DNA sequence: GCTTGCTCTGGTATCCATTTCATATTTTAC
DNA sequence: GTAAAATATGAAATGGATACCAGAGCAAGC
């Protein structure tokens, strides 16, 4: 396999000149440029990018940490990231961690080993202090509100969005509201829990502990959720569900059971998933695609900010989409 | 930043010995090994992986070509790939091409540039001959039946699976069958079209051209599909739909319109998506997760097969899951 | 006593491009 | 006409690891 030295020898120029041609530098005469291009063509030569990575200290690639790619929430963020990465001609290394912290650490080590130029952490179970240690090796952006951390973040105000949903239900006259979420101790679900409790304390509406239901991750859990609600002696008039796919499953199951929505049970979801639109599910759109895109833009700016750039914290807007489930 | 030379100098050994320690080679005495490990610890040293990639000619990473990651079909394959990549300690570079052939070519060029060790092509619009040219630079695996190509493949028998579904409908007594698919000229939808026509020719059942409907990619198209069927003078008794999410949307819309399933319209879907299970949709499970996993295993074997290995073509099983929509 | 094989170590070549510095020539500016 | 700036070129240093080869020391086998 040919290398730059051979191209230089055959073209009758120095390797420097070949390098200049490869990188479109000015100050190369037309005849030498053509000689080099001809040789490249003839030998079917391509640069060995690993050598470029070594000498430049850059790889034009960014790692993305997320637990499971098949989950709509994550796949749509990934799509936003991928769109921007394509524009910027960057590669995305998908690191699916299955919620295992040791795998997350391995990715951060990649940053240290110079395999990648930056890391986008979509969801993490690592402590902020641990992540902060790695900011010395390159830019890091999380998709969670990280407060005043030394790494950047691009985030939705889960607290405000959730309270907005609750207030919307209250304004519509619902006096008893249930809440359903995924993993109980996830970082954004903790925020939603606080929002739920704060809202009830401040509004004076009754809060039943049994109306807070966790571990609703998929469609089957959504269906089970409806049965659980049906079996309650006192059932809430409305429910706010983190994840449209779970809310949709609940609505479909409600249809089977003859429970009318919103008359018997009002439902509000999150993420504005396609299935929710079809079912007329009122939802809070977290603009996940935009979040992915913004996360990439941020990491891209930081990579080109020559290291001295300060962390940025970008808050993104959400939007309540009114349909017919409330 | 420290390098191997400095570690060697401070530890009082040669760079070779340091390298051996880093790579867990035998034939290093305990005291030298400890001296090296101590220095590494003290200087907080990490290998520069780009140097390793350059000298070894390997990067332990594989690129994945797919059009859109948010589509369930693709995200579940990606999850299968990611699971196996995690086990093998390989990185996955996600290349979302938005169906643009020039982006696919860029990824194949990466193989030539030695940025990656192999390519998994989940869906492509490139001609097999074009892909074959790149087999000289490293292993390539597609997730489409590529016949006797010089690159490997891991595939579902779309033809057989589709005919199985059609035969199942015929066996249940349906005499008029419609068909709905995504992009008309996609490689797997072409196969399904042939299967549809062949089945009708051989079974003698009537085939109406207006019962073959294309460009049904998402939930909205699924809902529109139902309206299109409703508006037909002569409507098929059953429909086979490529993609459970489209079939599910059709079912939900049918529910709204008072069209009973399967009495007024039988439906059979593909991919065994969660929403279909909830709706009682009979479907053909293409085992997409397993396909992703198998694709990674195949590329992994080829990478470690020292280049001389022949292409393999692995056929995967599908499974008809009977529920209540037929 | 001699050969063989295993353990341990290091020097040097190698992977392949970019970057800096030095130098030569040509053009522009006043 | 001369100084300054722009253009054009190449030699050598650089990034940081691994691979190959050579050689020393030591034990076992005959």
């Amino acid at each position: 396999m040919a290398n730059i030295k051979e191209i230089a020898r055959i073209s009758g120029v120095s390797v420097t000149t070949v390098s200049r041609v490869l990188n479109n530098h000015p100050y190369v005469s037309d005849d030498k440029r053509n000689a080099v291009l001809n040789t490249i063509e003839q030998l079917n030569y391509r640069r060995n990018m690993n050598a470029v990575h070594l000498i430049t200290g850059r790889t034009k690639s960014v790692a993305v940490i997320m637990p499971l790619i098949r989950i709509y929430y994550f796949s749509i963020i990934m799509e936003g990231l991928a769109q921007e990465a394509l524009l910027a001609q960057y590669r995305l290394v998908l690191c699916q961690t299955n919620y295992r912290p040791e795998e997350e650490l391995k990715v951060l080590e990649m940053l240290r080993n110079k395999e990648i130029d930056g890391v986008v952490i979509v969801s993490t179970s690592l402590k902020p202090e641990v992540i902060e240690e790695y900011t010395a090796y390159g830019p890091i952006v999380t998709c969670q509100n990280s407060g005043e951390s030394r790494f950047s973040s691009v985030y939705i105000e889960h607290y405000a969005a959730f309270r907005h949903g609750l207030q919307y239900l209250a304004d519509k006259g619902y006096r008893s509201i249930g809440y359903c979420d995924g993993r109980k101790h996830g970082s954004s679900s903790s925020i939603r829990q606080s929002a739920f409790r704060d809202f009830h304390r401040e509004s004076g509406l009754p809060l039943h502990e049994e109306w807070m239901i966790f571990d609703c991750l998929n469609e089957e859990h959504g269906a089970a959720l409806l049965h659980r609600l049906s079996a309650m002696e006192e059932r809430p008039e409305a429910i706010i569900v983190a994840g449209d796919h779970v809310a949709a499953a609940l609505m479909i199951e409600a249809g089977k059971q003859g429970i009318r929505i919103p008359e018997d049970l009002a439902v509000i979801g999150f993420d504005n998933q396609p299935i929710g639109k079809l079912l007329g599910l009122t939802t809070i759109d977290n603009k996940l695609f935009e979040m992915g895109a913004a996360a990439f833009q941020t990491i891209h700016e930081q990579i080109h900010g020559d290291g001295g750039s300060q962390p940025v914290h970008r808050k993104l807007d959400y939007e309540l989409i009114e349909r017919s489930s409330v």
Side-chain angles (χ1 to χ4, degrees), chain A:
Chain A
M1 201 47 188
N3 59 28
I4 198 176
K5 212 163 154 184
E6 200 173 340
I7 302 295
R9 187 178 55 77
I10 297 175
S11 311
V13 299
S14 69
V15 292
T16 312
T17 299
V18 178
S19 177
R20 277 193 268 255
V21 171
L22 289 171
N23 293 286
N24 291 313
H25 276 299
Y27 302 159
V28 179
S29 64
D30 285 348
D31 50 347
K32 298 219 172 189
R33 164 166 281 123
N34 289 331
V36 170
L37 289 174
N38 274 334
T39 314
I40 286 173
E41 171 90 5
Q42 255 152 45
L43 297 201
N44 199 15
Y45 164 79
R46 291 300 129 121
R47 268 188 287 205
N48 183 325
M49 291 308 290
N50 292 318
V52 178
H53 295 160
L54 173 60
I55 191 91
T56 61
R58 290 268 173 87
T59 58
K60 288 194 76 174
S61 59
V62 167
V64 178
I65 296 179
M66 52 173 60
L68 291 172
I69 183 66
R70 70 147 183 269
I71 294 176
Y72 181 87
Y73 181 91
F74 294 122
S75 73
I76 202 84
I77 291 174
M78 192 72 195
E79 183 148 331
L81 285 161
Q83 180 192 264
E84 292 300 309
L86 195 67
L87 287 175
Q89 304 253 55
Y90 264 65
R91 340 230 159 284
L92 286 183
V93 180
L94 171 64
C95 305
Q96 193 189 51
T97 59
N98 286 311
Y99 294 103
R100 292 217 298 268
E102 67 270 25
E103 293 299 332
E104 297 184 33
L105 276 174
K106 273 189 203 158
V107 181
L108 292 171
E109 283 293 329
M110 283 169 65
L111 186 61
R112 200 172 177 180
N113 299 340
K114 300 189 189 297
E115 285 185 82
I116 47 176
D117 296 347
V119 180
V120 174
I121 304 179
V122 178
S123 176
T124 184
S125 39
L126 294 173
K127 295 212 186 86
E129 306 88 78
V130 178
I131 297 173
E132 277 188 329
E133 284 177 34
Y134 285 87
T135 55
Y137 308 113
I140 299 173
V141 172
T142 62
C143 294
Q144 295 171 341
N145 186 348
S146 60
E148 289 305 304
S149 58
R150 289 212 306 277
F151 48 88
S152 297
S153 62
V154 169
Y155 63 96
I156 307 146
E157 283 190 289
H158 284 294
Y159 186 91
F162 200 76
R163 287 208 52 161
H164 189 133
L166 290 167
Q167 191 60 51
Y168 178 77
L169 289 171
D171 290 347
K172 290 276 181 176
Y174 298 98
R175 312 302 297 161
S176 56
I177 302 173
Y179 156 48
C180 163
D181 208 331
R183 296 179 310 141
K184 185 166 186 176
H185 302 290
S187 96
S188 54
S189 42
S190 300
I191 293 169
R192 286 189 287 262
Q193 270 173 73
S194 313
F196 192 73
R197 291 186 189 281
D198 291 354
F199 170 82
H200 279 86
R201 190 165 358 88
E202 292 169 26
S203 68
L205 292 183
L207 184 155
H208 289 215
E209 287 294 328
E210 74 164 341
W211 291 349
M212 297 176 71
I213 297 168
F214 296 94
D215 299 313
C216 288
L217 294 161
N218 58 37
E219 285 79 358
E220 295 194 26
H221 297 143
L225 170 62
L226 185 102
H227 295 129
R228 193 157 155 187
L229 288 170
S230 297
M232 287 180 183
E233 292 201 4
E234 196 177 350
R235 192 173 74 189
E237 299 160 1
I239 185 160
I240 186 162
V241 181
D244 276 0
H245 58 302
V246 177
L250 179 140
M251 288 175 78
I252 288 169
E253 200 63 19
K256 289 183 196 166
Q257 305 287 320
I259 294 173
R260 292 166 306 161
I261 296 200
E263 295 82 356
D264 301 330
L265 179 67
V267 184
I268 190 165
F270 279 84
D271 299 347
N272 191 20
Q273 297 181 27
I275 184 72
K277 181 168 187 194
L278 201 70
L279 291 166
L281 173 62
T282 293
T283 191
I284 291 171
D285 187 348
N286 279 325
K287 307 284 177 71
L288 298 172
F289 182 89
E290 288 80 357
M291 185 159 81
F296 186 85
Q297 283 161 6
T298 304
I299 198 97
H300 192 239
E301 283 160 17
Q302 303 253 310
I303 289 169
H304 287 83
D306 289 322
S309 55
Q310 292 298 306
V312 297
H313 298 281
R314 213 193 298 187
K315 188 178 81 181
L316 299 178
D317 290 329
Y318 58 86
E319 182 189 357
L320 190 135
I321 297 177
E322 293 188 87
R323 292 198 276 244
S324 54
S325 69
V326 174

